[in-house]
């Protein structure tokens, strides 16, 4: 029979140590600030080259329009 012991560390001693070293108010403030912090946006797919776009299943971008200044 295979038995896997519950190897999760208890959270209470870790929190008690953090409160003892930093203080209850400061820890609560930092936890609230971390919840309110906006999540970073994923990179924009428009900047990816066509080879990578094909790899992840996106359609190729059309070729850029010719620059009228280079056509002189």
């Amino acid at each position: 029979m295979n038995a896997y012991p519950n190897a999760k560390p208890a959270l209470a001693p870790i929190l008690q140590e953090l409160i003892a070293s930093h203080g209850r108010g400061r820890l609560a403030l930092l936890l609230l600030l971390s919840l309110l912090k906006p999540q970073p946006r994923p990179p924009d797919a428009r900047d990816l080259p066509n080879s990578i776009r094909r790899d992840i299943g996106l359609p190729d971008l059309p070729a850029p329009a010719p620059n009228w200044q280079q056509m002189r």
Side-chain angles (χ1 to χ4, degrees):
M1 178 184 297
N2 292 334
Y4 295 104
N6 189 0
K8 292 182 181 179
L11 188 59
I14 296 170
L15 284 176
Q16 289 173 355
E17 182 181 341
L18 285 172
I19 291 171
S21 61
H22 298 290
R24 183 179 295 152
R26 186 173 200 171
L27 187 63
L29 177 67
L30 290 175
L31 288 173
L32 286 174
L33 288 176
S34 69
L35 289 174
L36 297 176
K37 183 179 175 182
Q39 298 295 321
R41 293 183 54 186
D44 197 7
R46 289 180 293 196
D47 299 333
L48 294 175
N50 283 335
S51 60
I52 295 180
R53 291 176 63 86
R54 282 189 299 269
D55 287 346
I56 61 175
L58 294 174
D60 287 351
L61 291 175
N67 190 353
W68 64 272
Q69 291 178 342
Q70 296 175 347
M71 299 175 93
R72 293 188 198 184

